[in-house]
């Protein structure tokens, strides 16, 4: 009986295969594939359908509460659609074998993982990478991540994370691209292109998953998993575009967010998952929940129990349940009770099977299980060299009084002091995928290998990152006295940012400010190297006469890439993509704020009834787009020319210092009068250019009127004629400007 059934299915599949192939424009799915999928759906039991919609974790790398599930038995019963946190060829192959050799319908599983900033070769955290403003390099980092991950059995990444965030207390800002929607959208698309390449069926590309849909970055108070309550207009204008950019770049999947939108958790939000995503945007990939986010709706208070939550999610248009087991446990009953239609379930199954088809898993379920690739295409010298380059590009020089950096050739003894000076574990940041902390190059190691025997290198920890113990100060000070240059490695531990790592105060933790003050008092040149996963309120540190290099968490090659900058082999070019506040009271603080009806004018500092703080200036400590170089750039001759629907902007940028350098030339606009008020500045373009010392380059931007468009109360996006200001500059606060009119 069983054999008869199998041959019937195979017949159907064969018939389907002979159907004329014809591209339907669905990411490589042809009509024969669709016929195959329909044939399968027809033959699936309800349990098997629920199984396809179920994603379990293999038990490695726990990223949330675990459920005790005998997933291996379930795989053999055809009740698991995909696994995550399972990688390496033999391990994956065995699970895939269970699915395609032991389950009734032999449907291959999809294998997912949080490949967030590299797989084995770990790159700087995404927030750091975004500070490179180098879209090609960011794309390349994901290309390498995909090469490595697919060499170890994976074909799906839970990345990119594209949540726009304006609150650095939220630990997950580390995973994103900062506060700007426009830049964030460009980076989002670059990441998707990097992961997916031009052919998802190729064995070294993987499916991207845009997350967390939607507006997870607006969690109240910066507290992770907290409520989101933003206006519809803000949602469209600021939060949604990066997800849309991912889909436009072809992202094959999208992940629901933990938060609610307008009172309805994303995972049950039919407006979001169906009306907007499918109907308005025409998304043709599949929707996966975040980790147990169906079950969490019971806590949110919009579902009575897990079964009720499953009903809400599937009816909203959510295709796959990550870790919650709610579809597996309740869809069969819900269908029987007519609370969920078979059509709704079939639709979801269709999207999941299509994704597997797009990845070529039906042609060869083991296509990502290639031992020789695993041995030869992971952590190659080229990949590591690229990682080192990206570290240097991601760092941002915040302060450099008296050109403390680069370290002068004359320096003979360097003291590296501070809790992060030789801390391998912290270099990976919060998401490390399959990266091994043991393989990370620390600051001490990087400096040692660059300085060689010419320089004597001393090291003392001085204090811990996060406690009140000052007993190490004395030894650190003693060591400092012996040196003619001090590198002070301060910041957060890797675990202090990322998921479930919100902080209410975001200054340097512990006694690190005290250590910095003690070092500054020695009168020796001090360069602070910061490691952290979010903007910090480093007003105290910043008031000292020290250089400050923000390095985030650089990953595998952290120490080498930082050493390249410290010794001046490379010139810093990174620019902040997220504002550094002076203190937590300024949060949320972001460059593209509104002017208000009572704007504060610093020239009139005594004014009372204006929008300001009594105890702190409105300006941030370091603004969006900010970052110094070892050379200096000046801006002149900003000109605008309107020609029909084109707006041409040119500006001359000169390198006025004494070394060659790269500058991120930034273009902002302000729409002076809008029927919906407009921000004081909006980024509309940038160019990262190499300018030789003494050289002047003319930088041209061409905008169109479409670039001036914004959302209106009817949620339509269009531009309004009138007067605009164009600003060009080295950061969002220091700009020159010119006006133009568009009619
Ligand atoms: C995170 C996601 C992640 C998932 C799987 C969740 O807790 O929010 O970003 O992809 O876990 O690890």
């Amino acid at each position: 009986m069983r054999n008869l059934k199998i041959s019937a299915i195979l017949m159907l599949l064969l018939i389907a295969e002979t159907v004329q192939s014809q591209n339907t424009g669905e990411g490589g799915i042809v009509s024969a594939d669709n016929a195959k999928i329909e044939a399968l759906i027809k033959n699936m039991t309800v349990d098997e359908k629920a199984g396809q919609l179920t994603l379990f974790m293999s038990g490695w790398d726990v990223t949330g509460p675990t459920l005790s599930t005998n997933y291996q038995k379930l795989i053999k019963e055809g009740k698991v659609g995909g696994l995550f946190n399972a990688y390496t060829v033999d391990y994956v192959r065995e699970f895939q074998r269970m699915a395609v050799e032991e389950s009734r319908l032999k449907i291959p599983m999809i294998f997912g993982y949080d490949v967030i900033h590299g797989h084995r070769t770990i790159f700087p955290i995404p927030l750091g990478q975004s500070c490179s403003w180098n879209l090609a390099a960011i794309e390349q980092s994901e290309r390498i991540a995909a090469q490595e991950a697919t060499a170890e059995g994976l074909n799906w990444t839970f990345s990119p994370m594209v949540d726009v965030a304006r609150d650095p207390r939220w630990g997950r800002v580390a995973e994103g691209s900062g506060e700007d929607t426009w830049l964030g959208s460009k980076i989002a698309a670059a990441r998707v292109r990097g992961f997916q390449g031009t052919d998802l069926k190729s064995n070294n590309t993987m499916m991207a998953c845009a997350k967390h849909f939607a507006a997870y970055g607006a969690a109240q108070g910066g507290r992770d998993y907290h409520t989101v309550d933003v206006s519809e207009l803000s949602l469209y204008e600021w939060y949604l575009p990066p997800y849309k950019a991912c889909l436009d770049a072809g992202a094959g999947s999208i992940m629901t967010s933990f938060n609610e939108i307008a009172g309805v958790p994303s995972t049950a939000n039919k407006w979001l998952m169906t009306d907007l995503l499918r109907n308005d945007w025409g998304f043709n990939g599949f929707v996966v929940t975040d980790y147990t986010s169906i079950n969490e709706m019971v806590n949110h208070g919009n579902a009575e129990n897990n079964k009720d939550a499953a009903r809400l999610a599937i009816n909203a248009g959510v295709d796959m349940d990550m870790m919650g087991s709610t579809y597996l446990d309740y869809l069969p009953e819900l269908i029987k009770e007519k609370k969920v239609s078979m059509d709704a379930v079939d639709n979801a199954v269709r999207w999941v099977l299509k994704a597997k088809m797009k990845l070529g898993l039906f042609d060869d379920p083991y296509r990502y299980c290639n031992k020789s690739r695993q041995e030869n295409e992971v952590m190659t010298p080229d990949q590591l060299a690229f990682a080192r380059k990206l570290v240097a590009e991601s760092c941002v020089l915040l302060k450099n009084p008296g050109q403390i950096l680069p370290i002068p050739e004359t320096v003979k003894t360097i003291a590296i002091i501070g809790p992060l000076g030789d801390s391998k574990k912290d270099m990976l940041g919060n998401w490390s995928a399959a990266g091994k902390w043991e393989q990370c190059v620390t600051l001490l190691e990087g400096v040692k290998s660059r300085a060689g025997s010419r320089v004597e290198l001393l090291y003392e920890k001085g204090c811990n990152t996060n406690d009140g113990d000052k007993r190490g100060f004395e030894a650190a000070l003693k060591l400092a006295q012996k040196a003619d240059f001090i590198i002070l490695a301060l910041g957060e531990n890797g675990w202090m940012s990322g998921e479930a790592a919100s902080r209410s105060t975001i200054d340097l933790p512990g006694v690190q400010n005290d250590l910095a003050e003690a070092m500054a008092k020695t009168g020796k040149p001090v360069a602070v190297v910061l490691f952290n996963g979010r903007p910090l309120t480093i007003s105290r540190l910043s008031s000292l006469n020290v250089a400050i290099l923000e390095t985030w968490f650089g990953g595998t090659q952290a120490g080498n890439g930082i050493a390249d900058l410290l010794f001046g082999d490379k010139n810093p070019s990174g620019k902040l993509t997220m504002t550094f506040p002076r203190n937590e009271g300024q949060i949320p603080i972001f460059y593209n704020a509104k002017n208000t009806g009572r704007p504060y004018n610093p020239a009139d500092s005594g004014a009372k009834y204006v929008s300001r703080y009594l105890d702190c200036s409105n300006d941030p400590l370091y603004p969006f787009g900010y970052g110094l170089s070892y050379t200096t750039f000046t801006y002149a001759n900003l000109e605008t020319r309107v020609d029909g629907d084109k707006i041409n902007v040119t500006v001359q940028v000169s390198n006025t210092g004494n070394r060659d350098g790269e500058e991120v030339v930034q273009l902002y606009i302000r729409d002076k009068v809008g029927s919906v008020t407009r921000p004081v500045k909006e980024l509309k373009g940038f160019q990262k250019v190499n300018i030789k010392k003494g050289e002047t380059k003319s930088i041209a931007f061409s905008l169109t009127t479409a670039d001036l468009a914004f959302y209106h109360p009817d949620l339509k996006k269009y531009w309004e004629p009138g007067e605009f200001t164009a600003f060009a500059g080295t950061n969002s606060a220091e700009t020159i400007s010119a006006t133009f009119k568009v009619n």
Side-chain angles (χ1 to χ4, degrees), residues 57 61-64 84-85 113-114 116 158-159 161 172 175 211-212 216 225 255 258 290-291 322 431 499:
M57 185 174 71
D61 293 342
V62 175
T63 47
F84 70 111
N85 295 2
Y113 197 39
D114 289 285
I116 307 289
F158 304 138
S159 183
M161 186 283 213
R172 300 199 78 168
E175 299 168 47
K211 73 186 189 187
H212 307 81
Y216 183 31
Y225 316 122
M255 186 185 290
F258 287 124
D290 203 345
Y291 201 112
M322 182 196 287
W431 282 115
E499 186 173 353

